[in-house]
Amino acid sequence: MNWHVFGKAFLCETLYSIPFFILALFPFRKQLRFSLKSITFFIFLGQLFQSSCYVYLVAHGKPTRITDIIFAVVCLNLYFLCVKANAWKLLFLWFFIFNYMVTLRGICFFLESWFFSGSDLTFYSLHNESMLIIFVFLFFTLPLGLRFMKNARERVFQVDSPAFWHKAWFLPFSGTFIICVHNFDLSIDVVRTPRFILTRIWLLLMTVMVYSILLEAFDIIRQQVVLKERAAQQETLLAIQRTQYQQLSRHMETVRQARHDLRQQENRGSEIVYRTVPHDASPRHCPDLVRKLCSQYHSLLLWGRSTQGRNRLFRSS
């Protein structure tokens, strides 16, 4: 094995992977399956595998462009392995990170083709100038990408719709697939053309626009859900108030009827007195009349007390 090539390949792949895993793992630092040491060890194993593949391709004279595919597959598997979250939502976010890396590498290759061009220039020969340009671009653009990813993660995981997430990832994937297939060749004649740099910049802009539109749609959907919940709560409160009003109306009607009956009984008692006591009764008849009236009023009094008790019960309820 050519250890010099292996060492530079390992350095280059690590340089590419550091910003990727910062964007992929830092927003999910509270949802990681493993400790930081274990995750670092997994990433180290992934870089060893990618570097070994690069050395193998160089030793056998095969195109090293395949290392891009290997890089994407290794990073995607490590992403799913380390983060404990919905796989479809992770895949949706992964394409933003991947498009970010593809765009920056395309810009760096374009600049390298103009400033460090040579007859033997290849974009996988691990030139020091190439790694320096990529490092500078990643260093200055990483904070913006990290800010976007944190915002996207919070808003994506607030929307629970499995059927939607099974298909949402295909939208950013389609743009990535078309542009990568269209510009898979990285010969110097292709990289130096304006078409190459414009397609890569358009890929990033399209990705940002797609994600921004979807995130705004998520906010609208979430607001509609909140409004529906509030409307359902208002309907429940109105139903409770309607029931209470009906019960109160029935109680008031019962009390009104009880009062009416009490007045009728009072009128009846007065009528009994009027009919029982003769207008021309002599004083000697009074004891007999008093006893008779007392007996009748005793019954009336018992009924009146029971009616008043019912009234108090209705008022308290």
Side-chain angles (χ1 to χ4, degrees):
M1 177 183 291
N2 190 332
W3 292 105
H4 176 71
V5 176
F6 178 84
K8 294 201 69 172
F10 183 84
L11 178 62
C12 183
E13 295 295 344
T14 303
L15 181 64
Y16 292 155
S17 65
I18 287 177
F20 175 88
F21 286 110
I22 290 177
L23 290 175
L25 301 180
F26 184 77
F28 296 95
R29 58 191 179 278
K30 296 182 180 180
Q31 298 174 251
L32 299 178
R33 299 179 188 273
F34 311 102
S35 64
L36 185 59
K37 291 183 179 180
S38 300
I39 294 174
T40 304
F41 178 71
F42 292 148
I43 295 174
F44 176 77
L45 293 179
Q47 303 315 307
L48 289 179
F49 175 74
Q50 295 178 69
S51 303
S52 300
C53 291
Y54 182 86
V55 173
Y56 174 82
L57 294 173
V58 171
H60 291 79
K62 297 183 180 297
T64 55
R65 185 75 166 100
I66 303 176
T67 55
D68 270 351
I69 301 175
I70 297 174
F71 175 83
V73 173
V74 170
C75 291
L76 179 61
N77 283 278
L78 290 176
Y79 186 40
F80 284 161
L81 176 65
C82 296
V83 179
K84 183 171 58 177
N86 183 277
W88 296 106
K89 294 181 180 181
L90 291 179
L91 184 62
F92 177 79
L93 294 173
W94 180 82
F95 276 107
F96 169 78
I97 305 173
F98 181 75
N99 291 347
Y100 163 78
M101 297 295 298
V102 169
T103 301
L104 289 187
R105 290 186 65 180
I107 294 174
C108 294
F109 290 161
F110 178 79
L111 296 176
E112 184 182 2
S113 68
W114 281 97
F115 293 103
F116 305 102
S117 60
S119 58
D120 59 342
L121 177 64
T122 60
F123 298 99
Y124 286 88
S125 56
L126 307 179
H127 290 155
N128 294 330
E129 296 85 353
S130 177
M131 289 190 288
L132 178 62
I133 294 175
I134 292 176
F135 176 79
V136 172
F137 267 81
L138 292 176
F139 179 79
F140 283 104
T141 59
L142 184 60
L144 295 176
L146 186 60
R147 180 179 179 181
F148 184 88
M149 271 298 298
K150 288 183 61 178
N151 184 34
R153 185 201 69 83
E154 293 175 357
R155 297 163 76 176
V156 164
F157 280 86
Q158 289 176 351
V159 178
D160 294 325
S161 179
F164 173 79
W165 293 115
H166 290 170
K167 298 172 287 189
W169 63 271
F170 189 78
L171 189 59
F173 166 77
S174 59
T176 306
F177 179 78
I178 292 174
I179 291 179
C180 289
V181 170
H182 184 66
N183 286 326
F184 190 79
D185 181 20
L186 288 182
S187 63
I188 190 170
D189 294 333
V190 173
V191 174
R192 297 186 70 176
T193 60
R195 185 185 66 179
F196 176 83
I197 188 65
L198 289 177
T199 53
R200 298 302 173 108
I201 295 176
W202 177 251
L203 172 63
L204 183 61
L205 293 177
M206 181 184 66
T207 302
V208 173
M209 287 297 299
V210 167
Y211 277 73
S212 299
I213 293 172
L214 288 177
L215 294 178
E216 290 179 1
F218 295 159
D219 290 339
I220 295 174
I221 293 173
R222 188 169 60 255
Q223 291 175 2
Q224 290 178 348
V225 171
V226 172
L227 290 176
K228 288 182 179 179
E229 292 178 352
R230 290 180 179 176
Q233 293 176 355
Q234 291 294 332
E235 288 293 334
T236 304
L237 291 176
L238 288 175
I240 295 174
Q241 292 177 354
R242 192 181 301 112
T243 302
Q244 292 178 345
Y245 176 77
Q246 292 174 355
Q247 293 177 351
L248 181 61
S249 298
R250 288 195 296 268
H251 291 331
M252 293 177 64
E253 183 62 28
T254 303
V255 172
R256 189 180 300 110
Q257 184 64 33
R259 290 178 177 176
H260 177 268
D261 294 342
L262 181 60
R263 285 194 296 270
Q264 291 294 329
Q265 292 299 327
E266 290 176 352
N267 294 334
R268 182 183 175 185
S270 300
E271 185 179 356
I272 291 173
V273 173
Y274 180 79
R275 292 179 179 180
T276 305
V277 180
H279 296 286
D280 57 349
S282 61
R284 65 176 177 271
H285 294 145
C286 289
D288 297 332
L289 294 174
V290 170
R291 284 193 296 269
K292 187 176 181 180
L293 290 175
C294 286
S295 176
Q296 294 177 352
Y297 275 118
H298 182 68
S299 300
L300 181 61
L301 182 61
L302 291 177
W303 183 91
R305 289 178 178 176
S306 63
T307 304
Q308 291 176 358
R310 285 198 301 269
N311 290 343
R312 294 194 204 97
L313 178 62
F314 292 146
R315 289 168 183 169
S316 63
S317 61

